Amino acid sequence: MTRVSRNGVLAVLAIVLLLAVPDIANVTPLSFSIIHQGILFGMAAMGLNLLLRHTELVSFGHTAFFGAGAYGVAVLTAHYEVSNGLLLLLGAALAATAIALLVGYLVAGYLDIYFALLTLAFNQVLFAFVLQSGFFNYNDGLRVRVGADRPSLLGIDRWLVSTFGADPIVAYDYVLYYLTVVVLLVMVAVTWKIVNSPFGRALDAIGQDRTRARFIGIPVDRYVWIAFTLSGLYGGIAGGLFALLQLHVRPEPVLFVFVSGEILFMAIIGGIGTIVGPIVGGIVLIYLLRLARFYFEYYHALTGLVLLVVVFFLPEGILGSLPTFRAGLERRLRDPTLVRGDAATVSTTIRQRLYRAATTVRILVFGVK
């Protein structure tokens, strides 16, 4: 099977799996709602990855756009009684794009830690502004309802209720999930097109060396600004869908700076070098964050432990490491004696790590000598 045909088969299987998530959740202990939330945060991480993968710029403030999208939906329903789902998503996209355009224009010329800190600062400013504003109802947030009614999702959810007598909550959740899947597939297709376009290659050149990129005529700051805005747009749409799912928007879950760190973790865990890796990372991390507290006393440390495992043993992320795992497994099936070498390598690695840790502690306690 050629690589193209194999990728095509994997893409079809992934789409079938996405469409079957509600049925899978019904017959397994998996939570439909948490998978849905994981996909939404993963979409925001996919937008961040567009910036991180190509320009190698790390943003610590991407939840600003996720929150802008969520509050875009909440403001339209709470203050202007807009109930059309498409109009609400359009409002989310416009709100996030406007903020991304402004922030991107101000940070596009900066690099490394300065870029990261500036995005963090703008995120914190937006969080504090929303938290102190009566228009956004302070810390209590805004309901995403018009009166007592949920927003209308193209009228499909209400048609299912009136025609087939479906439960209104179930019909709403299912239609919203499949709307999320459609938006996700569009995002993946657009990202693939961007990655393989001259614009995507120009971003790669910018990420490798800005000076050389300028020398060959690439308008570096303008391209970074465009990439930043596109990245923010992804986050805004994901935030808008999250607001439609939660039906209530508060500052902490959608604008707090720690959420930006979680979105960055999702991109790293899933695989920075892949397009859909952040979606996998989003589902994995949201599962850990939402459910681990019921099983582990120190669940706050779990995120850090997972990140350590990924950095040490899966440097390409979960999805990015699959080809390496597959090739290694095929070699070991042909030659089982390689397993003995693996055990020796793991043992040596652990000893080296422990020796370095002991050396670091000794230096901290007793000094260099």
Side-chain angles (χ1 to χ4, degrees):
M1 184 181 291
T2 64
R3 183 177 177 182
V4 174
S5 60
R6 185 169 61 233
N7 290 340
V9 171
L10 290 175
V12 171
L13 287 176
I15 292 172
V16 170
L17 186 63
L18 273 174
L19 295 176
V21 161
D23 296 322
I24 294 173
N26 280 335
V27 296
T28 65
L30 296 173
S31 168
F32 174 42
S33 173
I34 289 182
I35 293 175
H36 194 173
Q37 291 179 41
I39 292 173
L40 294 177
F41 277 99
M43 288 161 64
M46 189 165 67
L48 173 62
N49 197 38
L50 183 64
L51 192 71
L52 183 63
R53 176 184 179 183
H54 299 283
T55 64
E56 297 188 3
L57 292 169
V58 179
S59 169
F60 286 161
H62 245 57
T63 193
F65 313 118
F66 189 85
Y71 268 98
V73 168
V75 167
L76 285 175
T77 51
H79 292 301
Y80 302 101
E81 299 187 347
V82 177
S83 62
N84 186 302
L86 280 185
L87 290 180
L88 293 174
L89 285 182
L90 179 62
L94 290 176
T97 302
I99 293 178
L101 277 170
L102 175 62
V103 176
Y105 177 77
L106 296 173
V107 305
Y110 291 87
L111 284 169
D112 303 327
I113 190 65
Y114 302 103
F115 179 88
L117 289 178
L118 280 172
T119 55
L120 177 67
F122 282 115
N123 190 163
Q124 185 63 9
V125 168
L126 186 62
F127 171 72
F129 174 74
V130 171
L131 193 64
Q132 299 297 326
S133 171
F135 183 74
F136 298 107
N137 201 22
Y138 308 107
N139 189 43
D140 292 333
L142 298 171
R143 297 177 71 214
V144 185
R145 292 175 186 267
V146 178
D149 296 331
R150 295 178 177 81
S152 170
L153 302 175
L154 307 173
I156 298 175
D157 55 325
R158 295 176 185 179
W159 176 75
L160 289 173
V161 173
S162 61
T163 306
F164 298 100
D167 182 87
I169 297 176
V170 174
Y172 180 86
D173 288 344
Y174 273 49
V175 173
L176 182 61
Y177 174 76
Y178 287 114
L179 176 62
T180 299
V181 172
V182 171
V183 173
L184 172 63
L185 295 178
V186 171
M187 280 187 176
V188 170
V190 170
T191 305
W192 185 87
K193 187 68 177 174
I194 291 173
V195 167
N196 294 284
S197 70
F199 175 70
R201 296 188 181 92
L203 293 179
D204 287 333
I206 293 170
Q208 291 168 13
D209 193 318
R210 281 198 175 199
T211 304
R212 289 184 181 177
R214 283 196 178 92
F215 186 73
I216 62 176
I218 297 174
V220 172
D221 290 354
R222 191 190 311 165
Y223 275 30
V224 170
W225 185 22
I226 294 172
F228 191 91
T229 304
L230 285 172
S231 181
L233 173 61
Y234 279 37
I237 293 174
L241 288 166
F242 183 77
L244 291 174
L245 175 65
Q246 296 295 94
L247 296 173
H248 193 116
V249 176
R250 292 178 55 248
E252 283 85 358
V254 300
L255 276 172
F256 194 43
V257 289
F258 284 179
V259 182
S260 289
E262 293 170 1
I263 292 175
L264 182 60
F265 283 178
M266 292 169 190
I268 296 172
I269 290 172
I272 294 174
T274 64
I275 292 178
V276 297
I279 302 298
V280 176
I283 295 172
V284 170
L285 192 60
I286 290 297
Y287 243 100
L288 291 175
L289 294 172
R290 299 288 191 273
L291 295 184
R293 67 185 64 191
F294 300 114
Y295 304 100
F296 302 99
E297 184 176 358
Y298 300 101
Y299 68 92
H300 285 301
L302 196 58
T303 308
L305 292 174
V306 170
L307 191 61
L308 287 174
V309 169
V310 169
V311 171
F312 283 136
F313 300 106
L314 301 171
E316 302 297 326
I318 295 172
L319 211 58
S321 299
L322 286 181
T324 306
F325 266 117
R326 187 177 60 245
L329 183 61
E330 289 174 353
R331 284 201 302 274
R332 279 150 187 79
L333 288 175
R334 290 194 300 269
D335 184 5
T337 60
L338 291 174
V339 177
R340 191 182 307 163
D342 294 338
T345 302
V346 170
S347 174
T348 303
T349 303
I350 292 174
R351 281 203 307 273
Q352 290 175 342
R353 297 280 190 271
L354 289 175
Y355 176 76
R356 289 180 187 173
T359 303
T360 303
V361 171
R362 178 176 57 79
I363 292 173
L364 289 172
V365 175
F366 301 107
V368 175
K369 291 181 180 179

